[in-house]
């Protein structure tokens, strides 16, 4: 605890002590009390909400990376978060991770109640771990900034100390005090165990309702009345549906502004005593008595928000849209396709995506529609096949493809959004897959199109191709007198499985780019595991599957 507590909020000054620049492990804040200001590595703080309004973070990152301020706004945001007012000066080449390269308007030790009030807050939990109750967007923006990152330090104000409680008691108290937000963007319930472990965009879901409410600050309501204020208002937008959002285009400034205006007008039209969400009234959530706080459209916060990026002082939405446009993946080049019997392999190049790396791709294989001749209806074409492929892969092999002619397209994804659809590839013809008619050999534990291997607990695992089967020997050297029969379906899954294992269960694993497995249990039942981007637990085994494939009519 030495050199971690920075003092308590009171009539005197706040002591200035520093923590190690990069601690080997998370610091223990067990002794911190309500009102203390603690120096924190932001990667050590635990979130208490499952989602962010991405567009608020994009606004901040846009202003940090393409801003028009005389001194970069990131330094002012850090000074405010650190309890030191605003930025006073910055050296050429100043960096957030070098506090000696810029100065704040309030020196350490000279903080006042006014400069401490906007600081972000934490609660001390079991083991001295800090849980963030306000500041998820700010700390995430610092983490995503090139000269920031999870090792960046900032001071946070302690809201309370619950370190004496166990985990169950701690979360019960957090919920009671409304110091956590356990709802997803669509209102779905979230457990504490499902919350992110660190700040950073990739750790959070995106909540568009939270985004649009952020831009309504000081137009429809005043911020800062209680933690998670915008989430309560966002739930009202989602559930009460005060305005129709079907025409909202998040990529268009005019449409975005119209949506903010409609929502803030609806906010200020509520009675002060109207219940918005979770028992909180409109007045408790900071509702303003008049739209734009009674100011004319060309003045006040609305006037600032409405400025385009071309203005000398762009508005927040303009910065968010500019950042998104600069960091969306560009249109991928047309992919290439190579064909084999019952298979098609699609390959593509990684498109440019600004500062945000590509995280995955949607790869689509489309049948070429037969031509209509002399008004005679063309024969029915095969269904389109779609696969979700995680980066850094730049190719995907489709199996069990019906014979025919196909083209392929690709869409790239990152945390900012999706690229436009690529041009289609040249058409290729996929020959029919031969019907081998092979069956399993129980003595050898293998069959045509399949292989199997023993596992340490006596279970067997194998990888089966469509139309094939697998059975495996156990680790103790015994043969599993089992056979699995499966038929490959159009999307790579298997059906009609029937398996028996002599001592345990058999589980299939996915071959890279191959078909999907069938697992058989000792009671003779079989389970077909469809392709999924995630984790499947089968027969006590955990299967990691990196590609999801689906068919579309």
């Amino acid at each position: 605890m030495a050199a971690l507590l920075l003092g308590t909020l009171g009539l005197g000054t706040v002591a200035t002590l520093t923590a190690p620049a990069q601690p080997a492990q998370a610091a223990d804040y067990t002794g911190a009390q309500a009102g203390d200001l603690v120096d924190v590595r932001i990667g050590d703080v635990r979130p208490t909400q499952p989602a962010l309004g991405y567009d608020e973070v994009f606004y901040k990152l846009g202003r940090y990376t393409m801003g028009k301020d005389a001194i970069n706004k990131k330094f002012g945001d850090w000074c405010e978060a650190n309890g030191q007012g605003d930025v006073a000066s910055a050296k050429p080449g100043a960096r957030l991770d070098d506090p000696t390269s810029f100065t704040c308007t309030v020196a350490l030790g000279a903080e006042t109640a006014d400069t401490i009030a906007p600081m972000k807050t934490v609660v001390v939990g079991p083991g001295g771990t800090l849980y963030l109750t306000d500041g998820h967007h700010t700390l995430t923006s610092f983490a995503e900034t090139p000269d920031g990152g999870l090792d960046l330090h900032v001071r946070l104000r302690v809201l309370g100390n619950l370190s004496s409680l166990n985990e169950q008691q701690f979360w019960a108290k957090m919920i009671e005090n409304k110091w956590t937000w356990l709802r997803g963007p669509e209102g779905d319930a979230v457990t504490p165990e499902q919350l992110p472990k660190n700040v950073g965009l990739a750790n959070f879901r995106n909540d568009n309702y939270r985004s649009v409410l952020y831009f309504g600050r000081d137009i429809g309501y005043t911020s800062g009345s209680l933690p998670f204020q915008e989430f309560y208002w966002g739930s009202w937008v989602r559930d009460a549906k005060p305005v129709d959002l079907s025409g909202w285009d998040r990529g268009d400034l005019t449409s975005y502004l119209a949506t903010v205006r409609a929502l803030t007008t609806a906010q200020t039209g509520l009675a002060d005593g109207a219940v918005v969400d979770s028992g909180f009234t409109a007045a408790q959530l900071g509702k303003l008595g008049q739209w734009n706080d009674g100011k004319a459209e060309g003045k006040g916060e609305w006037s600032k928000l409405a400025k385009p990026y071309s203005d000398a002082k762009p508005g927040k939405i303009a910065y968010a849209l500019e950042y998104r446009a600069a960091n969306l993946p560009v249109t991928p080049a047309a992919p290439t396709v190579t064909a084999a019997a019952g298979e098609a392999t699609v390959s593509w190049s990684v498109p440019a995506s600004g500062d945000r790396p590509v995280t995955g791709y949607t790869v689509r294989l489309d049948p070429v529609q037969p031509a209509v001749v002399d008004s005679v209806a063309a024969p029915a074409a095969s269904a389109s096949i779609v696969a979700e492929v995680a980066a850094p892969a730049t190719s995907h092999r489709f199996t069990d493809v019906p014979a025919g002619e196909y083209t392929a397209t690709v869409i790239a994804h990152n945390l900012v959004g999706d690229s436009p659809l690529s041009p289609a590839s040249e058409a290729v013809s996929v020959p029919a897959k031969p019907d081998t008619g092979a069956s399993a050999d129980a003595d050898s534990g293998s069959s045509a199109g399949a292989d199997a291997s023993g596992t340490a607990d006596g279970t067997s695992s194998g990888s089966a191709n469509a139309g094939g089967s697998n059975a495996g020997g156990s680790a103790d050297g015994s043969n599993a007198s089992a056979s699995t029969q499966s038929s490959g379906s159009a999307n790579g899954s298997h059906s009609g499985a029937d398996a028996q294992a002599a001592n345990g269960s058999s589980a299939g694993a996915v071959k890279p780019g191959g078909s999907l497995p069938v697992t058989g249990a000792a009671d003779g039942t079989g389970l077909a595991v469809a392709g999924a981007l995630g984790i499947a637990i089968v027969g006590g085994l955990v299967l990691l599957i990196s590609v999801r494939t689906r068919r579309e009519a």
Side-chain angles (χ1 to χ4, degrees):
M1 281 304 298
L4 290 176
L5 297 185
L6 300 187
T8 58
L9 176 58
L11 297 178
T13 60
V14 179
T16 302
L17 301 174
T18 57
Q22 293 189 18
Q25 60 185 15
D28 182 354
Y29 296 89
T30 305
Q33 299 302 314
D36 285 350
L37 310 183
V38 292
D39 180 74
V40 176
R41 174 185 175 271
I42 64 175
D44 293 336
V45 179
R46 299 289 294 270
T48 57
Q49 64 190 49
L52 295 174
Y54 274 22
D55 285 348
E56 178 181 345
V57 178
F58 294 156
Y59 149 65
K60 292 177 183 292
L61 294 177
R63 195 160 180 179
Y64 296 170
T65 57
M66 53 187 69
K68 300 182 180 183
D69 303 285
I71 301 178
N72 196 304
K73 186 67 165 60
K74 63 186 176 185
F75 300 118
D77 285 353
W78 186 92
C79 288
E80 180 182 77
N82 210 50
Q84 295 182 260
D86 201 351
V87 63
S89 64
K91 299 176 183 178
R95 296 175 56 89
L96 272 184
D97 54 10
D98 180 10
T100 66
S101 65
F102 61 95
T103 60
C104 303
T105 56
V106 177
L108 286 173
E111 297 85 351
T112 66
D114 287 341
T115 64
I116 290 174
M119 292 180 69
K120 308 310 177 186
T121 55
V122 288
V123 171
V124 185
T129 300
L130 295 182
Y131 288 83
L132 193 64
T133 58
D134 180 41
H136 294 79
H137 293 78
T138 296
L139 267 60
T140 289
S141 300
F142 291 160
E144 298 287 343
T145 304
D147 56 342
L150 294 179
D151 286 330
L152 186 72
H153 279 244
V154 69
R155 295 190 303 175
L156 302 173
R157 178 165 56 87
V158 177
L159 197 60
N161 189 322
L162 303 178
S163 60
S164 62
L165 305 180
N166 61 34
E167 287 287 333
Q168 184 176 1
Q169 294 168 334
F170 169 75
W171 284 108
K173 194 66 175 178
M174 291 287 284
I175 293 170
E176 178 187 338
N177 291 344
K178 294 183 168 58
W179 286 346
T180 182
W181 181 261
L182 297 176
R183 276 185 269 173
E186 300 306 320
D188 50 299
V190 174
T191 66
E193 294 76 19
Q194 294 171 318
L195 290 171
K197 306 305 180 189
N198 292 103
V199 296
L201 270 178
N203 299 319
F204 294 92
R205 296 159 65 184
N206 181 29
D207 189 333
N208 286 327
Y209 303 111
R210 171 62 177 74
S211 287
V212 72
L213 263 302
Y214 168 73
F215 296 120
R217 285 183 177 182
D218 299 319
I219 301 171
Y221 70 102
T222 300
S223 66
S225 60
L226 73 166
F228 310 107
Q229 181 183 10
E230 278 99 351
F231 282 112
Y232 292 114
W233 280 117
S235 295
W236 169 72
V237 173
R238 181 190 62 241
D239 300 334
K241 296 179 173 56
V243 298
D244 180 8
L245 298 181
S246 60
W248 177 24
D249 181 355
R250 289 180 57 238
D252 179 77
L253 179 61
T254 300
S255 176
Y256 215 130
L257 286 169
T259 302
V260 173
R261 178 157 192 162
L263 285 173
T264 52
T265 299
Q267 274 182 304
T268 55
L270 290 171
D272 286 351
V275 175
V276 174
D277 187 75
S278 300
F280 289 117
T281 66
Q284 288 173 318
L285 291 173
K287 178 194 80 75
L288 289 173
Q290 292 180 287
W291 182 81
N292 201 28
D293 204 18
K295 298 178 178 67
E297 182 173 331
K299 297 184 180 300
E301 195 63 28
W302 176 260
S303 176
K304 298 176 186 177
L305 183 70
K307 294 288 195 300
Y309 184 72
S310 58
D311 194 87
K313 295 183 177 180
K316 293 178 178 179
I317 296 176
Y319 271 125
L321 298 188
E322 198 72 14
Y323 181 84
R324 289 177 56 203
N327 290 281
L328 278 172
V330 302
T331 306
T336 60
V337 186
T338 57
E343 296 181 356
T345 299
V346 181
S347 302
W348 60 89
S349 300
V350 180
S353 57
D355 295 331
R356 311 299 312 190
V358 172
T359 56
Y361 304 88
T362 299
V363 186
R364 184 182 180 102
L365 197 63
D366 291 308
V368 176
Q369 299 297 322
V372 176
V373 180
D374 296 331
S375 301
V376 177
S382 301
S384 296
I385 313 172
V386 181
E388 302 295 337
V389 182
T394 55
S395 67
H396 176 66
R397 182 168 65 98
F398 290 93
T399 59
D400 302 319
V401 179
E405 194 172 18
Y406 294 86
T407 61
T409 54
V410 175
I411 296 174
H413 313 287
N414 67 6
L415 287 174
V416 178
D418 306 331
S419 75
L421 181 70
S422 75
S425 68
E426 296 289 333
V428 298
S429 294
V430 177
K433 184 177 182 180
D435 184 6
T436 61
S439 60
D441 180 354
D443 291 333
S444 64
S446 63
S447 69
D451 60 8
S453 61
T455 63
D457 62 356
T459 63
S460 65
S461 64
S463 119
N465 292 324
S469 58
N470 64 41
S474 65
D476 61 6
S478 64
N479 289 327
S481 57
S483 66
T484 303
Q485 296 179 343
S486 66
S487 60
S489 68
N491 63 1
S493 63
H494 294 267
S495 60
D498 178 21
Q500 290 182 339
N503 57 353
S505 61
S506 66
V510 180
K511 286 184 176 180
S515 303
L516 300 174
V518 173
T519 65
D523 60 0
T525 62
L527 175 61
V529 181
L533 185 60
I535 299 174
I537 300 176
V538 181
L541 298 179
V542 177
L543 306 183
L544 301 178
I545 305 173
S546 62
V547 176
R548 181 174 67 249
T549 305
R550 66 179 186 273
R551 300 274 171 160
E552 293 186 357

